[in-house]
Amino acid sequence: MDIGSTQERGQWGSKLGFIMAAAGSAVGLGNLWKFPFLAGQNGGGAFVLVYLVLLLLIGFTLMMAEITIGRFTGLNAIGAYRKIKASWAWVGSLGVLAGFLILSFYSVIGGWIIAYIVKAATGTFNTADTKMLGDMFTNFIQSSGTPIFYHGLFMLMTLGIVIGGIQQGIEKYSKILMPALFGMMALVVLRSVTLDGAMEGIKFFITPDFSKITGGVILAALGQVFFSLSLGMGCMITYGSYLSKDTNIPECSLIIPLIDTGVAVMAGFAIIPAAMAFNFPVDAGPSLLFITLPAVFSKMPLGGLMGVIFFVLALFAAVTSSISLLEVCVSYVVDEWNWTRKKATLIISGLIFAAGIPCSLSQGPWSHIKLIKGKGILDSVDFVASNVLLPLGGILLCVFIGWVWGLRRIQHIRKTEEGETIITWELEYTDALKEATNDGKVNFPMATIWVFLIKWLAPVAITIVFFQGVFS
Ligand code: PHE
């Protein structure tokens, strides 16, 4: 079965299959690589706290919204918007642009992961000397050819899977490899937090220093909620379109963010205490994972092997995310422009590969080029996609589902025998709410809260954070 094909739309084999696939999209470099470095750059515990609050209020709400629209329409993002209200189809295209941009730099980092599998396998980083590991990393990403070669390799892997249609593969492998990733992470966390000097890092990661919370920190956390949960660009709409009608959507919408956050927090515990223990600056940014983890592995029994296993699992997590990014773009072109799946996949992958090249070069020869807020090319693309396009897609999604498609409460006015007026409110089961609750069969005590969050709190909060962060 092909995700995205309109003729033969299949379904996930089981609820577990869907959760694993959606979690596969969610869990990726966003958790392992980005979350720890953002936490390190944005005040540690302060960032984690803001992240968790936004996750609960906005992540869960939008996850449920996307899955609901997807299952209701059985279509990809653009088709879904169009089916409910044709004039909104352009919101779906915005998601395609976000997917394109994200994948162009995601694949560069994915390439770094492949390179590190090779480095681990050949025993190159058998040291805890972060100075040496840092030099090794810098030399690698600053060179022109090699990272681009690995970026191409990562794109080839992604493309290979997407051409073949993605469901069967993802379901089968995710069920084994996701738990394996959890297990492996647990071992690394255990080693990291027991290193001499790790305590300081643990404190930094879990103690929120409220003075560190600024507009920029909140926007970074918001962007990360969207990025990490694959929200705001219609990815979960597509995945939801393959969900069977009897699956409990509210339950899935809680479990997926829970798994995702579990992995992100574990990655934080694996990386930040180690950075402190090895005297490496936690605010070093994108290099954090690639310098601290090899140092941790060098302190583990069978460290070389552990390193290989970890980076292989990280690659798997990255690929299950990158295929969902590519899929959003491919299914758009297949459905809208009537291209064949093969042609669409090959051409789009080629374009994304090309767009990734400047991102890769911006780490070395092109590092002097600054685009937005003094950021280099890769960071600027990330900023525009994650902190602008995804939240924008999120606001539009809220308005669409809450106001255009419609979620309403109806007022009942009753007079008692004593002549008192009693006003009660009841949710009207419009299509959106019917779909989200399986025609009211799913006991969903939070329905009222969800309706409030999606109509008011989420869009208002995202808008405020967005303007504060982008224009400050
Ligand atoms: N959620 C993925 C990650 O954390 C990245 C992603 C973003 C995937 C948006 C799909 C859509 O790595």
Side-chain angles (χ1 to χ4, degrees):
M1 189 213 73
D2 284 352
I3 277 216
S5 87
T6 38
Q7 303 93 8
E8 222 186 80
R9 293 189 67 89
Q11 270 179 5
W12 302 108
S14 61
K15 181 173 89 183
L16 185 69
F18 167 72
I19 290 182
M20 283 301 177
S25 166
V27 174
L29 297 175
N31 310 58
L32 302 173
W33 162 74
K34 212 174 167 194
F35 182 82
F37 94 64
L38 284 178
Q41 276 178 332
N42 292 289
F47 175 85
V48 177
L49 181 74
V50 177
Y51 180 84
L52 293 177
V53 171
L54 293 175
L55 178 91
L56 219 75
L57 293 178
I58 293 171
F60 155 74
T61 309
L62 294 197
M63 179 66 75
M64 194 157 138
E66 284 206 17
I67 298 177
T68 301
I69 296 187
R71 193 176 69 174
F72 180 78
T73 56
L75 294 169
N76 65 54
I78 295 169
Y81 277 106
R82 174 172 299 130
K83 185 167 171 180
I84 297 173
K85 192 145 183 87
S87 55
W88 277 69
W90 63 275
V91 178
S93 334
L94 209 66
V96 175
L97 176 64
F100 185 98
L101 291 178
I102 292 176
L103 190 49
S104 70
F105 74 84
Y106 202 87
S107 168
V108 172
I109 316 294
W112 296 358
I113 300 273
I114 305 180
Y116 268 66
I117 296 176
V118 178
K119 286 189 201 294
T122 49
T124 20
F125 47 57
N126 194 10
T127 171
D129 179 347
T130 46
K131 170 87 183 58
M132 255 167 78
L133 289 166
D135 289 345
M136 190 171 81
F137 177 75
T138 317
N139 284 337
F140 164 62
I141 61 165
Q142 284 185 349
S143 60
S144 312
T146 329
I148 293 178
F149 166 76
Y150 283 115
H151 156 53
L153 206 58
F154 185 88
M155 263 330 281
L156 272 179
M157 294 176 65
T158 307
L159 155 177
I161 301 175
V162 170
I163 280 193
I166 64 181
Q167 187 217 17
Q168 277 184 1
I170 317 184
E171 265 201 72
K172 196 160 76 206
Y173 294 113
S174 294
K175 279 186 210 165
I176 308 165
L177 293 175
M178 290 273 291
L181 179 67
F182 249 95
M184 184 68 207
M185 294 292 296
L187 289 180
V188 183
V189 169
L190 216 66
R191 176 66 272 208
S192 173
V193 297
T194 50
L195 289 165
D196 278 341
M199 204 52 215
E200 200 191 329
I202 300 176
K203 277 198 197 124
F204 172 76
F205 189 61
I206 61 176
T207 327
D209 171 355
F210 291 94
S211 69
K212 296 251 168 66
I213 301 179
T214 60
V217 170
I218 303 177
L219 180 66
L222 181 75
Q224 177 63 7
V225 167
F226 279 98
F227 187 90
S228 193
L229 293 179
S230 311
L231 291 174
M233 52 167 281
C235 193
M236 291 298 166
I237 295 184
T238 313
Y239 275 39
S241 71
Y242 297 94
L243 194 54
S244 79
K245 286 290 175 194
D246 52 12
T247 311
N248 185 328
I249 294 184
E251 186 185 273
C252 291
S253 315
L254 277 176
I255 295 177
I256 298 161
L258 225 62
I259 296 178
D260 189 70
T261 308
V263 177
V265 169
M266 275 168 111
F269 275 117
I271 290 173
I272 291 187
M276 294 271 193
F278 294 123
N279 276 323
F280 185 73
V282 278
D283 59 358
S287 64
L288 200 59
L289 173 140
F290 295 94
I291 293 168
T292 52
L293 284 188
V296 177
F297 293 129
S298 78
K299 298 273 186 200
M300 287 173 90
L302 297 175
L305 181 65
M306 292 300 215
V308 175
I309 298 176
F310 173 84
F311 282 109
V312 167
L313 291 172
L315 176 64
F316 176 79
V319 170
T320 51
S321 302
S322 62
I323 53 181
S324 68
L325 287 160
L326 184 56
E327 185 58 39
V328 170
C329 306
V330 166
S331 64
Y332 168 72
V333 177
V334 169
D335 288 357
E336 300 293 308
W337 302 350
N338 279 324
W339 286 17
T340 62
R341 187 170 188 82
K342 194 163 163 197
K343 177 177 161 196
T345 312
L346 288 174
I347 294 183
I348 296 174
S349 302
L351 291 175
I352 294 178
F353 172 67
I357 293 175
C359 293
S360 183
L361 292 175
S362 71
Q363 303 301 304
W366 290 8
S367 59
H368 57 283
I369 303 177
K370 304 286 178 214
L371 298 180
I372 295 170
K373 297 186 174 218
K375 296 176 196 286
I377 300 174
L378 191 152
D379 296 339
S380 299
V381 176
D382 181 9
F383 182 82
V384 169
S386 316
N387 296 7
V388 178
L389 291 176
L390 296 185
L392 206 63
I395 297 173
L396 292 164
L397 175 74
C398 291
V399 173
F400 181 72
I401 194 167
W403 301 93
V404 178
W405 196 16
L407 288 169
R408 279 181 291 274
R409 293 205 305 152
I410 22 186
Q411 201 182 31
H412 296 280
I413 303 178
R414 213 157 39 84
K415 279 226 186 307
T416 59
E417 283 161 15
E418 292 85 48
E420 250 179 283
T421 343
I422 295 182
I423 301 178
T424 51
W425 289 90
E426 192 182 288
L427 284 174
E428 182 187 350
Y429 275 70
T430 50
D431 284 343
L433 208 56
K434 271 193 207 146
E435 186 68 40
T437 60
N438 297 353
D439 281 332
K441 284 201 272 304
V442 170
N443 177 10
F444 180 39
M446 275 146 58
T448 324
I449 302 177
W450 183 62
V451 170
F452 169 73
L453 289 174
I454 209 150
K455 286 182 82 161
W456 297 102
L457 194 129
V460 171
I462 302 171
T463 308
I464 295 175
V465 173
F466 182 70
F467 281 101
Q468 280 246 321
V470 172
F471 300 109
S472 61

